[in-house]
Structures are given as C-alpha cells and as structure tokens.
Amino acid sequence: MSALKAELVRLIADEGPLPVSHYMALALSHPQHGYYMTRDPFGAAGDFTTAPEISQMFGEMLGLWAGHLWQAMGAPPRFALVEIGPGRGTLMADMLRAARIVPGFREAACVHLVETSPVLREIQKETLAGKAEPVWHDRAETALEGPAIVIANELLDALPLDQFVMTPEGWRQRLVGLDAEGELVFGLSGHAEAQAPLPPGPMGAVLEQPHAALALVSRVAGHVGRFGGGALFLDYGSAETGFGDTLQAMRRHAFVDPLSGPGDADLTVHVDFARMAQAGLRAGAAAHGPVRQGAFLLALGLAERAQALSGKASPEQAQEIAAAFDRLTAGAATGMGDLFKVLALTHPDLPPLPGFDLHRLPEQG
Ligand code: SAH
C-alpha cells in the first residue's frame, strides 16, 4: 500500500468518509505524497502527454494568440504573462519564442508561473533558463497584477470537485470511505443535501460541483475585466452542462480505478466549459467560445506552420510533424481536436480575438 493510501485509510478511520474534492486534493497535492508533488508525469516514460509535449506548434500558436491580444490591449509597455499549471515549462518557452515576431511583446512581458509542485518548478526553471526570468507563485492571486495575459492548459481538469448522486431522498454527496476489508470505496452521505443550490436531476444522476475551478476562473476573469487583458483556458471537457461522473485516473497511459493508487495515478475530471464561461461573465469579463481545440488551432494557422516546418525537415521529422498535427486537431477517435475545448475570457472592450470567430459551440454537440 502506498504511503498516501495508508494515510488516507487512517484519516477515514479516524474522521469518517471524505468528500471527493478532499480525496482529489490529497491524491494530487498532498505536500509529501501528492501525485504532482513527487514526479514529472509527462511523456512516454510518464503517465500522460499534453498538447505542448506533443509538438512545439501548440505553444507557437498560443504565443501568436497572446501577441495578438497584447496588441489589441494597446501594447502596454509592461504586462503580466501568467501561466497557471505550467507542467514542464514547454508551453511558455514555445510561446515566448513564437511571440518574438510581435515587436515589443517580449520586452513588455513579466513572466509569472503559478505552480504548486516543487519538482515541476525545478524542471520549469531548466526549460526556461536563458529564455525568461519567471517569478513563481503558489496561487494565482499573487501573480495577477495590472494588465495580464493568462494561459492555463490542462489545469482546470486537475482542480478538485465534489459529486452528488440523485436518490429518492434527493441529492446525496458521494464520499470516499472504507469497506469491510479496509479498502477505499465510494459511498454516499447519510443525508440528502438541502435542495436550494443544486438543480433538479433524474434518479441516479451524478452532479459535479467544480467549486475550485469556478473560483479560479472567476478570480482571473474579474482581474482581466478590471485591469485589462485576457485569459485562455484549454482542457478536456464539454461545451454543455450535463450530468455524469467524469472522475478518471490515468497511469502509464492507461485508465485505472481512481481509488486504486492515490498519489500514484493522475486524477482528472472533464471541464464544464459552459459553467466556466458563465462564471467569467458574472465576474465581469467577456467570454469567447468555448470552441473546439482543433478548429481553434487551425484558425490560428496550425496547418501553415506544420507545412513550413515540414519543408525544412527530414522525412522522419516530417512524419512526426504530420502525426503531431493529426493528434492536436483530429476528431474524437484519435485526436484532441474535438474533445478539447478552448475558452477565452477578456476585458469587455477588446475586439473579437483570433480563433473565436467560429461557430460557437455547442451547436454541433
Ligand atoms: N500545462 C501543462 C501541465 C498540465 S498538468 C501542460 O500542458 O503540459 C497540470 C499542471 O498544473 C501541473 O504543472 C501541476 O503541478 C499544476 N497544478 C495542479 N494543481 C495546481 C494548482 N492548484 N495550482 C497551480 N498549479 C497546479
């Protein structure tokens, strides 16, 4: 049994079952044994791969988008370029390189990284050595100052949420408890929730409440709505609010039981982009999207960039570029193009931004 699992079993035996949000928070961010606190999870040798680790083209497109946004903001001489959950620092490095074609952008940008993992902070430091002098933060609050451009790829899906299940008595909270053998097991709270804040739902439905993600999105949207700039959130998720249990665990590129190895597997949820957009609007920002990642990247010029890179590449490299292009843009079966969505929240006075002059989801599902 992992050290974290032993600690969770003790905690539940002493204090009773845990809400799913508490379980997720400990599994991912426990100071000693949390999944992100102890390892570099990315790539072939790790547990999963993200878009910036698939290809430099992803970060390059986001860098161009950020450069465009900065110009639309009136090219302020100083602004905060904030990334929340920067992973290996690859996305920031690729963005900064691509944005060089926008004169003045690099000089105006103060790079801020919001990262909770000491292991990943070290890797970010290495990746960005000689390219930026980032300031690290534990929380987004301290990174947000003045006009800001905020980027978060695959962050919201790692923030803890709570789950409720509709029973004949009403919504009951899903909890992580212990079975007769002392193994971690899902159960339900003994009493129904007061109905008021939760919408109605069919019997057996699972309702997810992503409080942490909504709070972060509101905070960021409130900031750019007041001080100028915009934020881009990219993640696995849906454009429409629905019911369902989306908690999943991944280890060595395969799905595993979310309770089987707390601290040893990545835990994620699907992001409800409709609610994120509403939270952004309520906080005073304009919402663009959500749109599909594939369409977004193509609108920014991904195909042209892939072609340019291939022109200078060996046949093997050209094959890799074509495979990366497919992975980033293709539909559900093989790629991230449809499953991943992109939402921008900006100061309300800004003009429409590249990539979002597309049909708004969810018309096409
Ligand atoms: N954006 C990167 C990494 C995605 S993985 C990429 O696309 O490759 C999630 C990242 O968010 C990791 O860097 C993880 O350590 C960080 N993270 C998780 N919870 C966080 C939190 N509450 N605040 C800030 N960063 C967090």
Side-chain angles (χ1 to χ4, degrees), residues 28-29 36-37 41-42 48-53 58 83-91 114-117 120 124 137-140 152-155 157-160 266:
L28 293 176
S29 304
Y36 280 114
M37 309 308 261
F42 307 103
F48 62 97
T49 302
T50 57
E53 302 300 332
F58 179 78
E83 187 177 356
I84 313 178
R88 280 184 176 161
T90 311
L91 173 55
V114 183
E115 176 59 72
T116 42
S117 160
L120 291 176
Q124 291 155 17
H137 303 261
D138 288 325
R139 303 172 58 80
N153 186 57
E154 293 214 41
L155 167 77
D157 70 354
L159 300 185
D266 186 34

mmCIF file of all heavy atoms in Angstrom, residues 28-29 36-37 41-42 48-53 58 83-91 114-117 120 124 137-140 152-155 157-160 266, ligand 1:
data_model
loop_
_atom_site.group_PDB
_atom_site.id
_atom_site.type_symbol
_atom_site.label_atom_id
_atom_site.label_comp_id
_atom_site.label_asym_id
_atom_site.label_seq_id
_atom_site.Cartn_x
_atom_site.Cartn_y
_atom_site.Cartn_z
ATOM 1 N N LEU A 28 -3.652 14.493 -5.353
ATOM 2 C CA LEU A 28 -2.839 15.264 -6.304
ATOM 3 C C LEU A 28 -1.820 16.159 -5.613
ATOM 4 O O LEU A 28 -0.714 16.334 -6.112
ATOM 5 C CB LEU A 28 -3.741 16.116 -7.203
ATOM 6 C CG LEU A 28 -4.625 15.335 -8.169
ATOM 7 C CD1 LEU A 28 -5.546 16.287 -8.933
ATOM 8 C CD2 LEU A 28 -3.788 14.521 -9.154
ATOM 9 N N SER A 29 -2.185 16.729 -4.475
ATOM 10 C CA SER A 29 -1.365 17.815 -3.926
ATOM 11 C C SER A 29 -0.942 17.633 -2.471
ATOM 12 O O SER A 29 -0.516 18.603 -1.844
ATOM 13 C CB SER A 29 -2.117 19.144 -4.065
ATOM 14 O OG SER A 29 -2.469 19.358 -5.401
ATOM 15 N N TYR A 36 1.339 15.233 -8.109
ATOM 16 C CA TYR A 36 2.136 16.254 -8.793
ATOM 17 C C TYR A 36 3.348 16.696 -7.983
ATOM 18 O O TYR A 36 4.266 17.310 -8.528
ATOM 19 C CB TYR A 36 1.282 17.484 -9.114
ATOM 20 C CG TYR A 36 0.433 17.298 -10.336
ATOM 21 C CD1 TYR A 36 -0.951 17.268 -10.244
ATOM 22 C CD2 TYR A 36 1.014 17.138 -11.582
ATOM 23 C CE1 TYR A 36 -1.732 17.088 -11.367
ATOM 24 C CE2 TYR A 36 0.242 16.953 -12.707
ATOM 25 C CZ TYR A 36 -1.131 16.933 -12.596
ATOM 26 O OH TYR A 36 -1.901 16.750 -13.708
ATOM 27 N N MET A 37 3.337 16.418 -6.678
ATOM 28 C CA MET A 37 4.406 16.950 -5.832
ATOM 29 C C MET A 37 5.682 16.122 -5.928
ATOM 30 O O MET A 37 6.737 16.549 -5.500
ATOM 31 C CB MET A 37 3.955 17.005 -4.372
ATOM 32 C CG MET A 37 2.634 17.694 -4.161
ATOM 33 S SD MET A 37 2.598 19.334 -4.932
ATOM 34 C CE MET A 37 2.931 20.313 -3.488
ATOM 35 N N PRO A 41 5.221 13.844 -14.521
ATOM 36 C CA PRO A 41 4.295 12.819 -15.014
ATOM 37 C C PRO A 41 4.177 12.724 -16.529
ATOM 38 O O PRO A 41 3.449 11.872 -17.032
ATOM 39 C CB PRO A 41 2.957 13.282 -14.428
ATOM 40 C CG PRO A 41 3.065 14.764 -14.336
ATOM 41 C CD PRO A 41 4.527 15.082 -14.114
ATOM 42 N N PHE A 42 4.879 13.608 -17.274
ATOM 43 C CA PHE A 42 4.572 13.753 -18.705
ATOM 44 C C PHE A 42 5.389 12.836 -19.603
ATOM 45 O O PHE A 42 6.481 12.411 -19.256
ATOM 46 C CB PHE A 42 4.806 15.199 -19.144
ATOM 47 C CG PHE A 42 4.092 16.196 -18.286
ATOM 48 C CD1 PHE A 42 4.777 16.919 -17.331
ATOM 49 C CD2 PHE A 42 2.724 16.365 -18.405
ATOM 50 C CE1 PHE A 42 4.115 17.836 -16.522
ATOM 51 C CE2 PHE A 42 2.050 17.272 -17.600
ATOM 52 C CZ PHE A 42 2.757 18.010 -16.655
ATOM 53 N N PHE A 48 0.963 10.456 -18.808
ATOM 54 C CA PHE A 48 0.112 11.031 -19.854
ATOM 55 C C PHE A 48 0.908 12.091 -20.619
ATOM 56 O O PHE A 48 1.993 12.498 -20.194
ATOM 57 C CB PHE A 48 -1.161 11.646 -19.260
ATOM 58 C CG PHE A 48 -0.910 12.786 -18.315
ATOM 59 C CD1 PHE A 48 -0.993 14.101 -18.744
ATOM 60 C CD2 PHE A 48 -0.602 12.549 -16.973
ATOM 61 C CE1 PHE A 48 -0.769 15.158 -17.868
ATOM 62 C CE2 PHE A 48 -0.385 13.603 -16.088
ATOM 63 C CZ PHE A 48 -0.463 14.912 -16.541
ATOM 64 N N THR A 49 0.376 12.510 -21.755
ATOM 65 C CA THR A 49 1.035 13.509 -22.590
ATOM 66 C C THR A 49 0.079 14.666 -22.823
ATOM 67 O O THR A 49 -1.111 14.441 -22.998
ATOM 68 C CB THR A 49 1.439 12.893 -23.939
ATOM 69 O OG1 THR A 49 2.289 11.786 -23.663
ATOM 70 C CG2 THR A 49 2.202 13.871 -24.794
ATOM 71 N N THR A 50 0.606 15.866 -22.824
ATOM 72 C CA THR A 50 -0.234 17.039 -23.064
ATOM 73 C C THR A 50 0.148 17.678 -24.396
ATOM 74 O O THR A 50 1.225 17.420 -24.943
ATOM 75 C CB THR A 50 -0.051 18.072 -21.942
ATOM 76 O OG1 THR A 50 1.335 18.413 -21.882
ATOM 77 C CG2 THR A 50 -0.501 17.507 -20.600
ATOM 78 N N ALA A 51 -0.712 18.570 -24.890
ATOM 79 C CA ALA A 51 -0.509 19.166 -26.217
ATOM 80 C C ALA A 51 0.870 19.818 -26.382
ATOM 81 O O ALA A 51 1.536 19.583 -27.391
ATOM 82 C CB ALA A 51 -1.636 20.157 -26.510
ATOM 83 N N PRO A 52 1.341 20.627 -25.401
ATOM 84 C CA PRO A 52 2.665 21.234 -25.629
ATOM 85 C C PRO A 52 3.790 20.208 -25.687
ATOM 86 O O PRO A 52 4.827 20.461 -26.317
ATOM 87 C CB PRO A 52 2.856 22.182 -24.437
ATOM 88 C CG PRO A 52 1.761 21.904 -23.486
ATOM 89 C CD PRO A 52 0.684 21.172 -24.211
ATOM 90 N N GLU A 53 3.591 19.045 -25.069
ATOM 91 C CA GLU A 53 4.612 17.997 -25.112
ATOM 92 C C GLU A 53 4.514 17.191 -26.412
ATOM 93 O O GLU A 53 5.434 16.473 -26.778
ATOM 94 C CB GLU A 53 4.492 17.065 -23.902
ATOM 95 C CG GLU A 53 4.602 17.767 -22.546
ATOM 96 C CD GLU A 53 5.929 18.495 -22.361
ATOM 97 O OE1 GLU A 53 6.931 18.065 -22.960
ATOM 98 O OE2 GLU A 53 5.948 19.517 -21.638
ATOM 99 N N PHE A 58 1.958 23.766 -30.885
ATOM 100 C CA PHE A 58 0.855 24.141 -29.996
ATOM 101 C C PHE A 58 1.197 25.449 -29.277
ATOM 102 O O PHE A 58 0.452 26.427 -29.331
ATOM 103 C CB PHE A 58 0.595 23.010 -28.991
ATOM 104 C CG PHE A 58 -0.507 23.291 -28.017
ATOM 105 C CD1 PHE A 58 -1.837 23.163 -28.392
ATOM 106 C CD2 PHE A 58 -0.217 23.689 -26.715
ATOM 107 C CE1 PHE A 58 -2.862 23.418 -27.487
ATOM 108 C CE2 PHE A 58 -1.230 23.946 -25.816
ATOM 109 C CZ PHE A 58 -2.557 23.814 -26.194
ATOM 110 N N GLU A 83 1.201 31.976 -16.506
ATOM 111 C CA GLU A 83 0.747 30.625 -16.820
ATOM 112 C C GLU A 83 0.434 29.912 -15.511
ATOM 113 O O GLU A 83 1.241 29.900 -14.570
ATOM 114 C CB GLU A 83 1.774 29.827 -17.631
ATOM 115 C CG GLU A 83 1.149 28.494 -18.069
ATOM 116 C CD GLU A 83 2.035 27.625 -18.940
ATOM 117 O OE1 GLU A 83 3.142 28.051 -19.313
ATOM 118 O OE2 GLU A 83 1.597 26.481 -19.222
ATOM 119 N N ILE A 84 -0.724 29.295 -15.475
ATOM 120 C CA ILE A 84 -1.130 28.554 -14.278
ATOM 121 C C ILE A 84 -1.015 27.061 -14.602
ATOM 122 O O ILE A 84 -1.593 26.587 -15.579
ATOM 123 C CB ILE A 84 -2.579 28.903 -13.848
ATOM 124 C CG1 ILE A 84 -2.772 30.424 -13.861
ATOM 125 C CG2 ILE A 84 -2.871 28.341 -12.463
ATOM 126 C CD1 ILE A 84 -4.182 30.868 -13.495
ATOM 127 N N GLY A 85 -0.252 26.335 -13.802
ATOM 128 C CA GLY A 85 -0.030 24.909 -14.050
ATOM 129 C C GLY A 85 0.858 24.680 -15.261
ATOM 130 O O GLY A 85 0.443 24.033 -16.239
ATOM 131 N N PRO A 86 2.098 25.176 -15.236
ATOM 132 C CA PRO A 86 2.934 25.168 -16.454
ATOM 133 C C PRO A 86 3.617 23.840 -16.775
ATOM 134 O O PRO A 86 4.383 23.798 -17.741
ATOM 135 C CB PRO A 86 3.994 26.244 -16.166
ATOM 136 C CG PRO A 86 3.659 26.850 -14.834
ATOM 137 C CD PRO A 86 2.749 25.907 -14.133
ATOM 138 N N GLY A 87 3.400 22.782 -16.027
ATOM 139 C CA GLY A 87 3.977 21.486 -16.382
ATOM 140 C C GLY A 87 5.491 21.530 -16.437
ATOM 141 O O GLY A 87 6.161 21.869 -15.474
ATOM 142 N N ARG A 88 6.036 21.219 -17.618
ATOM 143 C CA ARG A 88 7.485 21.247 -17.796
ATOM 144 C C ARG A 88 8.022 22.607 -18.237
ATOM 145 O O ARG A 88 9.211 22.747 -18.508
ATOM 146 C CB ARG A 88 7.875 20.248 -18.880
ATOM 147 C CG ARG A 88 7.944 18.833 -18.396
ATOM 148 C CD ARG A 88 8.427 17.969 -19.541
ATOM 149 N NE ARG A 88 8.604 16.592 -19.131
ATOM 150 C CZ ARG A 88 8.659 15.585 -19.990
ATOM 151 N NH1 ARG A 88 8.538 15.815 -21.286
ATOM 152 N NH2 ARG A 88 8.827 14.366 -19.552
ATOM 153 N N GLY A 89 7.132 23.581 -18.452
ATOM 154 C CA GLY A 89 7.574 24.896 -18.927
ATOM 155 C C GLY A 89 7.683 24.967 -20.441
ATOM 156 O O GLY A 89 8.053 26.001 -21.008
ATOM 157 N N THR A 90 7.329 23.872 -21.100
ATOM 158 C CA THR A 90 7.458 23.786 -22.557
ATOM 159 C C THR A 90 6.557 24.800 -23.270
ATOM 160 O O THR A 90 6.983 25.478 -24.209
ATOM 161 C CB THR A 90 7.080 22.359 -23.023
ATOM 162 O OG1 THR A 90 7.792 21.428 -22.210
ATOM 163 C CG2 THR A 90 7.412 22.152 -24.477
ATOM 164 N N LEU A 91 5.319 24.894 -22.807
ATOM 165 C CA LEU A 91 4.354 25.791 -23.450
ATOM 166 C C LEU A 91 4.855 27.230 -23.373
ATOM 167 O O LEU A 91 4.842 27.958 -24.378
ATOM 168 C CB LEU A 91 2.988 25.619 -22.783
ATOM 169 C CG LEU A 91 1.876 26.578 -23.178
ATOM 170 C CD1 LEU A 91 1.648 26.586 -24.670
ATOM 171 C CD2 LEU A 91 0.576 26.221 -22.458
ATOM 172 N N VAL A 114 2.410 29.990 -11.978
ATOM 173 C CA VAL A 114 1.710 29.533 -10.774
ATOM 174 C C VAL A 114 1.825 28.012 -10.740
ATOM 175 O O VAL A 114 1.289 27.322 -11.609
ATOM 176 C CB VAL A 114 0.221 29.962 -10.800
ATOM 177 C CG1 VAL A 114 -0.467 29.545 -9.501
ATOM 178 C CG2 VAL A 114 0.101 31.461 -11.023
ATOM 179 N N GLU A 115 2.572 27.516 -9.785
ATOM 180 C CA GLU A 115 2.862 26.078 -9.762
ATOM 181 C C GLU A 115 2.971 25.618 -8.313
ATOM 182 O O GLU A 115 3.687 26.216 -7.519
ATOM 183 C CB GLU A 115 4.182 25.800 -10.493
ATOM 184 C CG GLU A 115 4.642 24.347 -10.453
ATOM 185 C CD GLU A 115 3.617 23.405 -11.056
ATOM 186 O OE1 GLU A 115 3.462 23.408 -12.272
ATOM 187 O OE2 GLU A 115 2.945 22.675 -10.282
ATOM 188 N N THR A 116 2.273 24.539 -7.993
ATOM 189 C CA THR A 116 2.295 24.020 -6.622
ATOM 190 C C THR A 116 3.379 22.948 -6.434
ATOM 191 O O THR A 116 3.753 22.662 -5.304
ATOM 192 C CB THR A 116 0.917 23.412 -6.264
ATOM 193 O OG1 THR A 116 0.452 22.668 -7.382
ATOM 194 C CG2 THR A 116 -0.089 24.504 -5.961
ATOM 195 N N SER A 117 3.879 22.368 -7.518
ATOM 196 C CA SER A 117 4.796 21.232 -7.384
ATOM 197 C C SER A 117 6.259 21.679 -7.395
ATOM 198 O O SER A 117 6.720 22.284 -8.369
ATOM 199 C CB SER A 117 4.558 20.260 -8.546
ATOM 200 O OG SER A 117 5.682 19.427 -8.713
ATOM 201 N N LEU A 120 8.154 20.075 -10.408
ATOM 202 C CA LEU A 120 7.894 20.710 -11.704
ATOM 203 C C LEU A 120 8.484 22.117 -11.769
ATOM 204 O O LEU A 120 8.938 22.551 -12.818
ATOM 205 C CB LEU A 120 6.391 20.704 -12.009
ATOM 206 C CG LEU A 120 5.842 19.293 -12.291
ATOM 207 C CD1 LEU A 120 4.336 19.321 -12.483
ATOM 208 C CD2 LEU A 120 6.506 18.677 -13.516
ATOM 209 N N GLN A 124 10.720 23.502 -14.767
ATOM 210 C CA GLN A 124 10.379 24.766 -15.451
ATOM 211 C C GLN A 124 11.587 25.710 -15.467
ATOM 212 O O GLN A 124 11.858 26.385 -16.458
ATOM 213 C CB GLN A 124 9.183 25.427 -14.746
ATOM 214 C CG GLN A 124 7.881 24.658 -14.939
ATOM 215 C CD GLN A 124 6.861 24.889 -13.829
ATOM 216 O OE1 GLN A 124 6.963 25.844 -13.053
ATOM 217 N NE2 GLN A 124 5.868 24.005 -13.741
ATOM 218 N N HIS A 137 4.759 31.414 -8.165
ATOM 219 C CA HIS A 137 3.716 31.684 -7.165
ATOM 220 C C HIS A 137 3.016 30.380 -6.807
ATOM 221 O O HIS A 137 2.881 29.493 -7.662
ATOM 222 C CB HIS A 137 2.650 32.625 -7.731
ATOM 223 C CG HIS A 137 3.186 33.932 -8.234
ATOM 224 N ND1 HIS A 137 3.136 35.090 -7.504
ATOM 225 C CD2 HIS A 137 3.805 34.258 -9.404
ATOM 226 C CE1 HIS A 137 3.691 36.075 -8.199
ATOM 227 N NE2 HIS A 137 4.102 35.589 -9.361
ATOM 228 N N ASP A 138 2.544 30.308 -5.570
ATOM 229 C CA ASP A 138 1.738 29.155 -5.156
ATOM 230 C C ASP A 138 0.291 29.317 -5.591
ATOM 231 O O ASP A 138 -0.418 28.328 -5.765
ATOM 232 C CB ASP A 138 1.745 29.016 -3.627
ATOM 233 C CG ASP A 138 3.094 28.526 -3.138
ATOM 234 O OD1 ASP A 138 3.716 27.720 -3.855
ATOM 235 O OD2 ASP A 138 3.523 28.968 -2.057
ATOM 236 N N ARG A 139 -0.145 30.551 -5.709
ATOM 237 C CA ARG A 139 -1.548 30.816 -6.013
ATOM 238 C C ARG A 139 -1.650 31.899 -7.084
ATOM 239 O O ARG A 139 -0.786 32.776 -7.165
ATOM 240 C CB ARG A 139 -2.276 31.312 -4.758
ATOM 241 C CG ARG A 139 -2.200 30.359 -3.579
ATOM 242 C CD ARG A 139 -2.783 31.007 -2.326
ATOM 243 N NE ARG A 139 -4.163 31.415 -2.536
ATOM 244 C CZ ARG A 139 -5.199 30.589 -2.479
ATOM 245 N NH1 ARG A 139 -5.007 29.323 -2.184
ATOM 246 N NH2 ARG A 139 -6.417 31.014 -2.684
ATOM 247 N N ALA A 140 -2.724 31.835 -7.861
ATOM 248 C CA ALA A 140 -2.895 32.805 -8.946
ATOM 249 C C ALA A 140 -3.018 34.232 -8.407
ATOM 250 O O ALA A 140 -2.569 35.182 -9.051
ATOM 251 C CB ALA A 140 -4.139 32.447 -9.758
ATOM 252 N N ALA A 152 -3.813 28.764 -19.295
ATOM 253 C CA ALA A 152 -3.869 27.553 -18.464
ATOM 254 C C ALA A 152 -4.280 26.375 -19.349
ATOM 255 O O ALA A 152 -5.421 26.313 -19.826
ATOM 256 C CB ALA A 152 -4.851 27.728 -17.317
ATOM 257 N N ASN A 153 -3.341 25.471 -19.604
ATOM 258 C CA ASN A 153 -3.642 24.275 -20.397
ATOM 259 C C ASN A 153 -3.680 23.064 -19.479
ATOM 260 O O ASN A 153 -2.707 22.799 -18.763
ATOM 261 C CB ASN A 153 -2.569 24.072 -21.472
ATOM 262 C CG ASN A 153 -2.924 22.927 -22.408
ATOM 263 O OD1 ASN A 153 -3.980 22.937 -23.031
ATOM 264 N ND2 ASN A 153 -2.056 21.938 -22.481
ATOM 265 N N GLU A 154 -4.774 22.350 -19.506
ATOM 266 C CA GLU A 154 -4.940 21.152 -18.658
ATOM 267 C C GLU A 154 -4.680 21.452 -17.187
ATOM 268 O O GLU A 154 -4.002 20.689 -16.504
ATOM 269 C CB GLU A 154 -4.046 20.009 -19.144
ATOM 270 C CG GLU A 154 -4.491 19.498 -20.498
ATOM 271 C CD GLU A 154 -4.284 18.009 -20.660
ATOM 272 O OE1 GLU A 154 -4.549 17.266 -19.699
ATOM 273 O OE2 GLU A 154 -3.878 17.593 -21.764
ATOM 274 N N LEU A 155 -5.182 22.569 -16.735
ATOM 275 C CA LEU A 155 -5.120 22.890 -15.306
ATOM 276 C C LEU A 155 -6.473 22.647 -14.649
ATOM 277 O O LEU A 155 -6.560 21.988 -13.608
ATOM 278 C CB LEU A 155 -4.723 24.356 -15.093
ATOM 279 C CG LEU A 155 -4.965 24.794 -13.641
ATOM 280 C CD1 LEU A 155 -3.868 24.261 -12.746
ATOM 281 C CD2 LEU A 155 -5.114 26.280 -13.506
ATOM 282 N N ASP A 157 -8.796 20.740 -15.198
ATOM 283 C CA ASP A 157 -9.177 19.330 -15.039
ATOM 284 C C ASP A 157 -8.500 18.680 -13.837
ATOM 285 O O ASP A 157 -8.838 17.561 -13.461
ATOM 286 C CB ASP A 157 -8.887 18.530 -16.323
ATOM 287 C CG ASP A 157 -7.399 18.334 -16.604
ATOM 288 O OD1 ASP A 157 -6.562 18.901 -15.879
ATOM 289 O OD2 ASP A 157 -7.076 17.611 -17.556
ATOM 290 N N ALA A 158 -7.528 19.376 -13.257
ATOM 291 C CA ALA A 158 -6.823 18.823 -12.092
ATOM 292 C C ALA A 158 -7.322 19.441 -10.783
ATOM 293 O O ALA A 158 -6.821 19.086 -9.710
ATOM 294 C CB ALA A 158 -5.322 19.068 -12.232
ATOM 295 N N LEU A 159 -8.289 20.349 -10.873
ATOM 296 C CA LEU A 159 -8.752 21.000 -9.639
ATOM 297 C C LEU A 159 -9.896 20.184 -9.024
ATOM 298 O O LEU A 159 -10.792 19.721 -9.730
ATOM 299 C CB LEU A 159 -9.185 22.435 -9.942
ATOM 300 C CG LEU A 159 -8.064 23.322 -10.520
ATOM 301 C CD1 LEU A 159 -8.536 24.758 -10.678
ATOM 302 C CD2 LEU A 159 -6.807 23.283 -9.649
ATOM 303 N N PRO A 160 -9.861 20.006 -7.707
ATOM 304 C CA PRO A 160 -10.809 19.123 -7.030
ATOM 305 C C PRO A 160 -12.261 19.566 -7.191
ATOM 306 O O PRO A 160 -12.542 20.759 -7.165
ATOM 307 C CB PRO A 160 -10.398 19.243 -5.557
ATOM 308 C CG PRO A 160 -9.010 19.771 -5.564
ATOM 309 C CD PRO A 160 -8.872 20.595 -6.799
ATOM 310 N N ASP A 266 -2.587 9.890 -12.083
ATOM 311 C CA ASP A 266 -3.143 11.223 -12.295
ATOM 312 C C ASP A 266 -4.655 11.139 -12.164
ATOM 313 O O ASP A 266 -5.277 10.202 -12.662
ATOM 314 C CB ASP A 266 -2.760 11.723 -13.690
ATOM 315 C CG ASP A 266 -3.201 13.160 -13.905
ATOM 316 O OD1 ASP A 266 -3.172 13.928 -12.923
ATOM 317 O OD2 ASP A 266 -3.560 13.515 -15.036
HETATM 318 N N1 SAH B 1 0.044 22.944 -18.659
HETATM 319 C C1 SAH B 1 0.968 21.842 -18.664
HETATM 320 C C2 SAH B 1 0.760 20.877 -17.484
HETATM 321 C C3 SAH B 1 -0.605 20.316 -17.266
HETATM 322 S S1 SAH B 1 -0.665 19.222 -15.873
HETATM 323 C C4 SAH B 1 0.910 21.122 -19.984
HETATM 324 O O1 SAH B 1 0.003 21.388 -20.743
HETATM 325 O O2 SAH B 1 1.793 20.305 -20.258
HETATM 326 C C5 SAH B 1 -1.260 20.223 -14.563
HETATM 327 C C6 SAH B 1 -0.293 21.251 -14.040
HETATM 328 O O3 SAH B 1 -0.959 22.010 -13.037
HETATM 329 C C7 SAH B 1 0.957 20.715 -13.356
HETATM 330 O O4 SAH B 1 2.013 21.614 -13.610
HETATM 331 C C8 SAH B 1 0.552 20.735 -11.877
HETATM 332 O O5 SAH B 1 1.623 20.669 -10.994
HETATM 333 C C9 SAH B 1 -0.212 22.028 -11.828
HETATM 334 N N2 SAH B 1 -1.185 22.193 -10.750
HETATM 335 C C10 SAH B 1 -2.043 21.271 -10.250
HETATM 336 N N3 SAH B 1 -2.843 21.834 -9.313
HETATM 337 C C11 SAH B 1 -2.499 23.143 -9.259
HETATM 338 C C12 SAH B 1 -2.967 24.262 -8.511
HETATM 339 N N4 SAH B 1 -3.947 24.148 -7.625
HETATM 340 N N5 SAH B 1 -2.375 25.456 -8.718
HETATM 341 C C13 SAH B 1 -1.370 25.597 -9.625
HETATM 342 N N6 SAH B 1 -0.898 24.576 -10.361
HETATM 343 C C14 SAH B 1 -1.445 23.372 -10.174
#
